[in-house]
């Protein structure tokens, strides 16, 4: 009889991941596992299970004991039982900012965690894949984490490698406001994200209903949201038969801070040349700056230039107050926690969930009223 062929590397990796998932499920259900019992159940050698235990222990997910493994716990068992009664799960959360957009996502996650008798452990990171991984690894090394909610940087090979690493972790990983690219086979990753393209389309249709027939888009491609906003803008103007080649579409990502005034002047000049009377601006911090620039240049908002911002973090503070698309940030956090706890409770039998939430459009003064002709409204004076 010819010897059985060994599995291909990808298959071996999948089998090992499935074993470790099973090991973690058994630990969460029973608090401990034995090497002998798990090896018999899975039909592998005890040496294989010991290797799995060692890998999980090095990641801080289990504690080695003679003949098996347990979940990491305080030395005093009564303290461990008391903590377990208070919190069923500990969920790590790594977000790229703690001062814009993400505090509301965290707030929603914490509210849902309280309802689910879970605990959220937050670490701030940056828009950088290497830093994202460091922060996740720090949680794995120092906390007894049952699942993760992450908003990783997915750009370039470093971002793709981070996604592959997250996909291989033996605990549930939920992406918040992120979606894995189609060319990365992250089959285990689940996510909850706002449908930003739909939100952009709502803004464009609102401006069309207000009488605008040339509607531009000003974004910042350094934000992961930007590409979805631009896609939604393109889809909406195509549906409304607004020629894209005659529309203003500008990216502020590479404009130095000291050149923003000149950049906005160029945007207004293009609006004058194309007859553009409305702009969708992401994010709303940029929308506030753009509206202030219009006011400084004598361009009436909304009479000669209607503006809708995106994010609705500070849009209401502008003068005039800016209409804005508002992503359901708290619900992103809530649903992310729901996905983690459902996965922990149901295990592998639960299908992978990938959820999109629709944003709202908050209409304020900056986009109301019929547009006036550009020449009458003051755009001609910007040059």
């Amino acid at each position: 009889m010819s010897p059985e062929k060994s599995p291909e590397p990808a298959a071996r990796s999948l089998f090992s991941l499935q074993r470790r998932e099973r090991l973690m499920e058994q630990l969460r259900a029973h608090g401990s596992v034995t090497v002998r019992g798990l090896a018999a159940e899975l039909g592998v050698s005890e040496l294989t299970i010991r290797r799995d235990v060692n890998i999980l222990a090095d990641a801080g997910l289990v504690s080695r004991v003679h003949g098996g493994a347990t979940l990491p716990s305080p030395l005093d068992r009564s303290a461990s039982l008391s903590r377990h009664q208070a919190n069923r799960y500990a969920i790590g959360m790594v977000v790229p900012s703690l001062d814009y957009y993400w505090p509301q996502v965290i707030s929603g996650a914490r509210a849902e965690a309280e309802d689910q008798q879970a605990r959220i452990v937050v670490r701030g990171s940056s828009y950088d894949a290497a830093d994202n991984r460091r922060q996740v690894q720090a949680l794995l090394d120092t906390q007894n984490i049952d699942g993760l909610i992450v908003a990783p940087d997915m750009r370039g090979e470093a971002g793709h490698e981070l996604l592959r690493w997250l996909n291989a972790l033996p605990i549930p990983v939920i992406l918040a406001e992120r979606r894995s690219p189609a060319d990365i086979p992250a089959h285990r990753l689940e996510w909850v994200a706002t449908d930003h393209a739909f939100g952009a389309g709502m803004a464009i249709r609102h401006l069309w209903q207000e009488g605008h027939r040339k509607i531009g888009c000003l974004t910042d491609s350094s934000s992961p949201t930007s590409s979805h906003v631009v896609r939604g803008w393109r889809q909406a103007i195509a549906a409304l038969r607004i020629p894209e080649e005659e529309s203003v579409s500008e990216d502020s990502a590479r404009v130095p801070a000291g050149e923003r005034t000149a950049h906005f002047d160029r945007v207004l000049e293009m609006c004058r040349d194309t007859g553009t009377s409305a702009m969708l601006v992401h994010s709303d911090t940029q929308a506030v700056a753009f509206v202030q620039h219009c006011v400084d240049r004598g361009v009436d908002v909304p009479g000669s230039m209607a503006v809708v911002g995106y994010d609705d973090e500070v849009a209401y503070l502008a003068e005039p107050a800016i209409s804005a698309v508002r992503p359901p940030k708290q619900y992103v956090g809530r649903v992310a926690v729901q996905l983690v706890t459902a996965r922990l409770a149901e295990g592998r039998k639960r299908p992978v969930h990938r959820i999109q939430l629709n944003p709202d459009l908050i209409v304020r003064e900056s986009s109301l009223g019929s547009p006036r002709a550009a020449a009458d409204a003051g755009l001609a004076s910007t040059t």
Side-chain angles (χ1 to χ4, degrees):
M1 182 181 293
S2 62
E4 183 178 351
K5 287 185 178 180
S6 61
E8 294 298 321
R12 288 199 299 269
S13 175
L14 178 60
F15 296 158
S16 63
L17 178 58
Q18 291 171 334
R19 287 196 313 272
R20 292 167 202 159
E21 286 179 330
R22 182 63 178 161
L23 193 156
M24 293 302 298
E25 287 176 6
Q26 291 283 72
L27 278 174
R28 286 190 286 267
H30 305 293
S32 65
V33 295
T34 65
V35 169
R36 179 178 297 177
L38 199 57
E41 179 180 344
L42 299 180
V44 298
S45 70
E46 293 184 19
L47 177 60
T48 296
I49 297 299
R50 287 194 190 95
R51 287 172 178 162
D52 289 336
V53 168
N54 288 336
I55 289 170
L56 293 172
D58 289 343
L61 297 171
V62 307
S63 293
R64 302 180 189 90
V65 296
H66 181 68
T70 65
L71 290 173
S73 60
L75 293 176
D76 185 271
R77 181 166 175 75
S78 64
S80 176
L81 288 173
S82 174
R83 184 180 69 175
H84 180 73
Q85 291 167 354
N87 295 301
R88 291 191 304 156
Y89 306 118
I91 301 170
M93 191 170 186
V94 177
V95 297
S97 171
L98 294 174
D99 59 4
Y100 184 86
Y101 197 100
W102 293 98
Q104 291 192 54
V105 179
I106 296 167
S107 175
R110 283 183 165 151
E112 183 65 27
E114 184 175 349
D115 292 345
Q116 299 269 2
Q117 292 183 302
R119 177 172 62 100
I120 298 291
V121 184
V122 177
R123 290 187 75 96
S125 185
S126 61
Y127 291 92
D128 176 76
D131 187 45
N132 297 160
R133 181 162 178 166
R134 280 193 297 271
Q135 300 305 328
V136 170
Q137 190 65 59
L139 284 173
L140 297 175
D141 290 342
T142 62
Q143 303 287 335
N144 180 15
I145 296 299
D146 298 297
L148 282 165
I149 299 169
V150 192
D153 177 36
M154 304 186 302
R155 294 171 297 178
E157 182 54 35
H160 292 179
E161 179 56 34
L162 174 61
L163 286 175
R164 287 188 282 265
W165 179 71
L166 290 170
N167 184 65
L169 291 177
I171 59 175
V173 178
I174 311 299
L175 304 184
E177 290 291 24
R178 302 288 187 270
R179 305 162 184 83
S180 177
D183 58 341
I184 301 297
H187 59 282
R188 296 177 62 248
L189 292 180
E190 301 183 81
W191 61 71
V192 52
T194 301
D195 190 344
H196 297 299
F198 177 83
M202 277 198 306
I204 301 308
R205 287 188 290 275
H206 160 67
L207 291 166
W208 177 271
Q209 290 166 359
E210 289 297 312
H212 299 277
R213 295 299 178 260
K214 291 290 186 71
I215 304 167
C217 186
L218 176 61
T219 59
D220 181 344
S221 62
S222 64
S223 165
T225 301
S226 177
S227 62
H228 303 294
V229 172
V230 173
R231 175 165 53 88
W233 169 76
R234 283 180 173 148
Q235 291 170 345
I237 65 171
L240 295 170
R241 304 194 179 193
I242 301 173
E244 183 176 342
E245 63 274 12
E246 299 176 12
S247 301
V248 176
S249 177
E250 282 293 296
D251 180 7
S252 299
R254 297 180 181 176
V255 177
E259 296 180 18
R260 188 170 66 177
T261 296
H263 175 60
F264 285 164
D265 279 339
R266 287 193 298 271
V267 171
L268 288 177
E269 182 178 357
M270 286 186 287
C271 289
R272 182 205 63 187
D273 293 342
T274 59
T276 297
S277 60
M279 293 290 290
L280 170 63
V281 185
H282 174 261
S283 63
D284 63 323
T285 54
Q286 179 163 227
V288 169
F290 182 66
V291 166
Q292 289 174 345
H293 184 83
C294 288
V295 172
D296 291 344
R297 289 292 188 261
V299 177
D300 180 58
V301 177
S304 58
M305 177 57 63
V307 175
V308 176
Y310 201 103
D311 281 350
D312 202 32
E313 286 284 318
V314 294
Y316 67 97
L317 296 173
E319 181 58 44
I322 300 173
S323 299
V325 178
R326 177 186 292 171
K329 297 161 223 172
Q330 293 214 9
Y331 275 93
V332 169
R334 278 189 170 274
V335 173
V337 171
Q338 291 167 7
L339 289 174
V340 173
T341 55
R343 173 64 57 193
L344 289 169
E346 298 179 39
R348 291 171 296 169
K349 66 181 181 180
R350 177 179 168 85
V352 170
H353 282 50
R354 293 171 174 179
I355 298 173
Q356 284 199 133
L357 303 177
N358 283 353
D360 290 323
L361 175 64
I362 311 303
V363 177
R364 302 187 179 99
E365 185 183 351
S366 71
S367 64
L368 290 174
S370 299
R372 298 199 297 267
D376 295 336
L379 280 178
S381 66
T382 62
T383 57

